[in-house]
Amino acid sequence: MMAKPNPEDVIELLACDIASRPRGAPMPSALAPYIHSIHRTADALAIAFAPEAADAVTAFAAAESSCCAGIGWSVERSPTVRLTITAAPEQLDAIEQIFTPA
């Protein structure tokens, strides 16, 4: 397994304007305990979360949408909560590492 990326490198790679991220928005580490599964395709990353994380996942996606240009963040609610992220492959590589347990 690859080493976790340096947060500053990830911000640069994702073209994130961290100053425009809403204060108090959930971070990936807060969502990690609720992950059920992660599925990767060439152009998307789908992460399934426990239902009780729905509000936090929605807030996370909204925050990331406001600060990371060129990346798609969508949330679907059903019995589980699914966050789908669409981006360039190298961006998905970095995002996947953020959500993958060490």
Side-chain angles (χ1 to χ4, degrees), residues 16-51:
C16 290
D17 175 8
I18 207 70
S20 68
R21 190 176 198 279
R23 288 184 121 177
M27 298 299 285
S29 58
L31 303 176
Y34 302 99
I35 294 175
H36 283 185
S37 65
I38 299 174
H39 178 72
R40 170 78 185 268
T41 64
D43 61 352
L45 181 65
I47 306 169
F49 294 90

Side-chain angles (χ1 to χ4, degrees), residues 5-93:
N6 179 332
E8 291 82 20
D9 294 341
V10 171
I11 290 168
E12 184 176 334
L13 176 66
L14 301 181
C16 290
D17 175 8
I18 207 70
S20 68
R21 190 176 198 279
R23 288 184 121 177
M27 298 299 285
S29 58
L31 303 176
Y34 302 99
I35 294 175
H36 283 185
S37 65
I38 299 174
H39 178 72
R40 170 78 185 268
T41 64
D43 61 352
L45 181 65
I47 306 169
F49 294 90
E52 59 269 24
D55 291 340
V57 172
T58 300
F60 172 79
E64 297 307 309
S65 293
S66 72
C67 68
C68 292
I71 298 175
W73 307 86
S74 66
V75 177
E76 296 174 36
R77 293 179 182 217
S78 61
T80 60
V81 178
R82 181 178 159 143
L83 171 63
T84 302
I85 306 163
T86 54
E90 62 274 6
Q91 292 173 316
L92 290 174
D93 290 344

